[in-house]
Amino acid sequence: MRLKRLLALAAGLMLTTVTAWAQQGPPQAAQMQVALTMDDLPVHGPLPPGLTRAEVAHRVLAAFKGAGVAEVYGFVNAKGLADEGDDAAQVLALWRQAGYPLGNHVYAHDDLHGHDVNAFTAAVTADEAALTQYMGPGSGKNTDWHWLRFPYLHIGETPEKRREVAAFLKDHGYRVAEVTLSFNDYIYNAPYARCMAKDDQAAVARLRKSYLDRAAESLTIGRQQAQAVYGRDVPHVMLLHIGGFETVMLPELLSLMKAKGVAFVPLAKAEADPIYATNPDTPSNGTGSLLDREMTARNLPQPAHSADPSTWLDGLCR
Ligand SMILES: [Zn+2]
């Protein structure tokens, strides 16, 4: 009797364990925190036939919402409003209706490298009219637009330049929206528009595969770089761009990230980590992600990565 009862107890325990496993899935690797950010609102890259800027925003926002992403900063080049009018204006309106915030990506996507600091800071200021229009009081939640994303991730070629810009940003209440994860998602937009115009679905399938492979690789590289520089994983910030191909790829990208243990977090939460208190005097040529720059500063070898697909992409669907 006693043995029988013990066996029944053991079977019950196993059943409970198996049921819990089935409900929760197998134990996961440690979660990777990632803040998603999207650059070049409202106008980025060529579009395939029939797609408008507003429709791109609508589909991109639906993908983020569908994946339960609570916050995605959209970084604005206000010149796009002057260039493309109401279609572009709808992008920013839709972004705000979704409850997502906007930040500064400099008026005309001005490049700090090769230009003087005064011209650059004037272009930062020129972006602010649009930000206050869409992010002012009464515009809903998430109204902190004082985040700057450097165009081309160029933070200044010299320590002097980096110090001057850092002083300007501090005076004007800005924080820098750093990037630790990027796979140059924007390079797929022009070939995607060309391949759709030719209705070359086989080529589009190859684009999709390359995009997802490189997205997955960027997560691995980000983790490896964080280990190499800081000896630990860190909360990450991923750079994406608001292009036509994202309307196709975002649902798959977000599922892939979730499957790899990513938890989506707000930008301010990720950047609360001390690694984001960067020093303008860190030896650097001012290019690449935060992790790229820190690797360079420490003379660390970059992790292995797949070949750059740019040449293949440039020749596709011509
Ligand atoms: Zn940009």
Side-chain angles (χ1 to χ4, degrees):
M1 268 315 271
R2 204 164 158 212
L3 183 65
K4 244 185 188 173
R5 212 177 300 144
L6 269 176
L7 281 171
L9 194 65
L13 271 175
M14 275 174 69
L15 188 67
T16 312
T17 312
V18 168
T19 310
W21 185 294
Q23 283 166 351
Q24 295 160 13
Q28 297 233 326
Q31 271 201 335
M32 181 182 197
Q33 295 192 1
V34 178
L36 295 171
T37 61
M38 191 158 250
D39 281 16
D40 298 5
L41 276 65
V43 173
H44 174 82
L47 295 177
L51 202 57
T52 62
R53 301 293 173 193
E55 187 58 28
V56 169
H58 178 74
R59 294 184 194 179
V60 158
L61 290 163
F64 286 135
K65 292 285 172 179
V69 183
E71 181 207 274
V72 183
Y73 258 90
F75 287 94
V76 174
N77 312 119
K79 183 172 182 290
L81 296 167
D83 291 343
E84 298 202 11
D86 185 54
D87 187 25
Q90 280 189 56
V91 172
L92 303 189
L94 286 167
W95 206 265
R96 294 301 291 139
Q97 280 165 29
Y100 289 165
L102 300 168
N104 196 326
H105 194 33
V106 191
Y107 182 75
H109 209 270
D110 308 73
D111 187 351
L112 174 57
H113 291 193
H115 292 89
D116 73 69
V117 169
N118 287 338
F120 180 79
T121 55
V124 170
T125 305
D127 210 47
E128 293 180 349
L131 293 172
T132 50
Q133 180 188 338
Y134 287 93
M135 291 283 285
S139 72
K141 58 177 184 172
N142 287 329
T143 54
D144 178 13
W145 53 264
H146 284 89
W147 286 91
L148 182 86
R149 167 67 46 75
F150 283 100
Y152 313 100
L153 305 184
H154 285 174
I155 66 160
E157 319 88 304
T158 61
E160 292 74 28
K161 226 167 159 176
R162 293 198 287 273
R163 262 182 249 139
E164 278 183 62
V165 173
F168 169 88
L169 294 177
K170 186 162 182 256
D171 283 352
H172 291 79
Y174 280 97
R175 293 190 63 193
V176 175
E178 291 283 4
V179 170
T180 63
L181 301 173
S182 170
F183 56 100
N184 292 350
D185 67 317
Y186 66 90
I187 61 179
Y188 294 89
N189 286 309
Y192 173 65
R194 290 196 304 270
C195 295
M196 287 300 283
K198 292 190 165 185
D199 196 25
D200 186 342
Q201 293 302 326
V204 172
R206 292 171 66 202
L207 289 175
R208 293 170 79 115
K209 182 175 186 318
S210 171
Y211 177 106
L212 281 179
D213 287 349
R214 293 181 59 257
E217 183 186 63
S218 78
L219 298 177
T220 306
I221 289 176
R223 276 180 157 142
Q224 289 172 340
Q225 288 182 317
Q227 282 295 338
V229 175
Y230 304 109
R232 63 181 173 98
D233 204 9
V234 298
H236 289 272
V237 181
M238 178 175 263
L239 166 61
L240 298 167
H241 294 78
I242 190 160
F245 200 46
E246 294 295 2
T247 65
V248 179
M249 296 311 298
L250 260 189
E252 287 179 64
L253 172 68
L254 299 172
S255 316
L256 175 136
M257 292 177 75
K258 282 184 177 177
K260 289 189 173 292
V262 167
F264 301 115
V265 298
L267 180 62
K269 182 169 187 229
E271 293 216 11
D273 191 284
I275 70 159
Y276 291 99
T278 51
N279 177 355
D281 293 329
T282 302
S284 167
N285 60 3
T287 62
S289 75
L290 170 65
L291 294 173
D292 292 335
R293 301 195 312 264
E294 295 293 332
M295 300 276 288
T296 304
R298 290 162 171 78
N299 282 317
L300 292 167
Q302 289 289 347
H305 54 83
S306 56
D308 180 359
S310 297
T311 308
W312 165 60
L313 292 171
D314 284 348
L316 202 64
C317 297
R318 292 282 179 193

